[in-house]
Amino acid sequence: MAKQTEKSLKRRNTILNEAEKLFIEEGFEKTTVKDIAARAGVAKGTFYYYFDTKEDIISSLLEKRYRKTEKKAKHVLENENMNSLEKLEKIILRLIFSRRGNFKVYEFFKIDENAKFMKERNKEFWNKFMPIFTEIVKEGVERGEFETDYPEEITEILFMGIDNFLHRHYAKFTTEEMYIDKFAAVEELLNRALKVKSRKVDLSLMKPEK
């Protein structure tokens, strides 16, 4: 990949952004490098100056999404005005479904059909967010909000399972009812596993962004 100067970074981001739009509009398989280059207003050779393959776009988009979300998640973690349960709810909502109706964000990635993409996606997700979830659960135990003798193990089991469960069904969320049903199951799992004290976990779609 090319060395990143301010100008080259801007051009790379343009290619990346236009590629994402095309993937959503036309699908990953139907979109060609030629299409991406034309949409970005660059020569085909310029595309290969920044990316080796079309698949590299997927890795870059995942990294971009998770880097942005990680920053928001850390901000929530450090918020002294929120209790541990509120932090947990906020990060789950931001991480997996940040806006109502955003049911097919990852559908065009075709991640489930590509073992390489799935491996990279899981590594990126778990490395960035498992420590944050673990810190919140430990904090909750210390504050008496949660109850478990194995906070690290419980966190790993819970969030690897929740992530795989929701990711598996993500592209199938075509109605709000399907969305709500899956989250109701996640809420029940969290309530039981963490033995939440103050109130039940609420991942309601109607909760406003803060």
Side-chain angles (χ1 to χ4, degrees):
M1 189 177 69
K3 182 179 179 180
Q4 300 297 295
T5 63
E6 183 176 351
K7 184 177 180 179
S8 66
L9 182 60
K10 183 177 180 180
R11 183 174 291 131
R12 181 181 185 275
N13 285 336
T14 296
I15 295 172
L16 197 62
N17 293 336
E18 295 305 325
E20 182 174 11
K21 293 175 185 177
L22 280 170
F23 291 161
I24 293 173
E25 294 168 7
E26 305 295 335
F28 178 77
E29 297 298 332
K30 292 183 179 180
T31 300
T32 66
V33 171
K34 182 179 179 180
D35 294 333
I36 296 171
R39 182 72 166 260
V42 300
K44 189 174 179 180
T46 302
F47 173 93
Y48 287 114
Y49 183 71
Y50 294 99
F51 302 98
D52 292 331
T53 65
K54 186 176 69 171
E55 285 72 16
D56 285 346
I57 294 284
I58 300 297
S59 297
S60 296
L61 287 172
L62 287 173
E63 181 182 0
K64 178 183 176 183
R65 284 179 180 275
Y66 286 145
R67 186 169 59 246
K68 182 178 180 180
T69 305
E70 181 187 24
K71 183 178 180 180
K72 292 180 178 179
K74 286 183 176 179
H75 180 72
V76 171
L77 177 63
E78 296 166 0
N79 190 329
E80 297 180 356
N81 296 319
M82 300 175 70
N83 62 37
S84 301
L85 179 55
E86 290 170 335
K87 291 179 182 181
L88 192 64
E89 293 168 339
K90 189 68 175 180
I91 292 178
I92 291 175
L93 287 170
R94 280 194 178 279
L95 187 60
I96 304 176
F97 296 112
S98 61
R99 294 181 178 84
R100 290 186 67 189
N102 193 17
F103 300 123
K104 296 189 176 182
V105 173
Y106 289 120
E107 183 177 18
F108 69 89
F109 284 143
K110 301 295 183 183
I111 291 175
D112 290 322
E113 300 173 13
N114 189 302
K116 178 183 176 183
F117 291 166
M118 194 63 183
K119 183 178 180 180
E120 290 182 2
R121 182 262 171 202
N122 287 344
K123 180 180 178 181
E124 190 77 17
F125 181 92
W126 293 333
N127 285 348
K128 288 185 182 301
F129 301 109
M130 194 63 71
I132 295 175
F133 282 126
T134 301
E135 185 66 25
I136 291 174
V137 171
K138 284 183 175 180
E139 177 188 86
V141 171
E142 291 175 0
R143 292 179 173 180
E145 297 178 52
F146 307 144
E147 182 182 338
T148 174
D149 294 327
Y150 310 98
E152 292 185 9
E153 292 80 3
I154 286 292
T155 301
E156 185 173 350
I157 292 169
L158 275 176
F159 291 100
M160 288 180 71
I162 290 171
D163 174 55
N164 283 327
F165 171 71
L166 292 177
H167 183 76
R168 178 183 179 186
H169 294 284
Y170 211 130
K172 300 176 184 178
F173 289 160
T174 55
T175 68
E176 185 170 307
E177 288 73 21
M178 293 174 68
Y179 181 110
I180 292 173
D181 286 345
K182 296 296 183 293
F183 263 75
V186 172
E187 288 173 345
E188 182 173 343
L189 177 63
L190 289 170
N191 284 319
R192 293 190 180 195
L194 296 176
K195 298 180 182 178
V196 180
K197 302 295 182 181
S198 60
R199 61 171 175 78
K200 292 186 177 182
V201 177
D202 179 13
L203 300 178
S204 170
L205 282 174
M206 302 308 294
K207 182 177 293 186
E209 290 277 324
K210 295 181 181 179

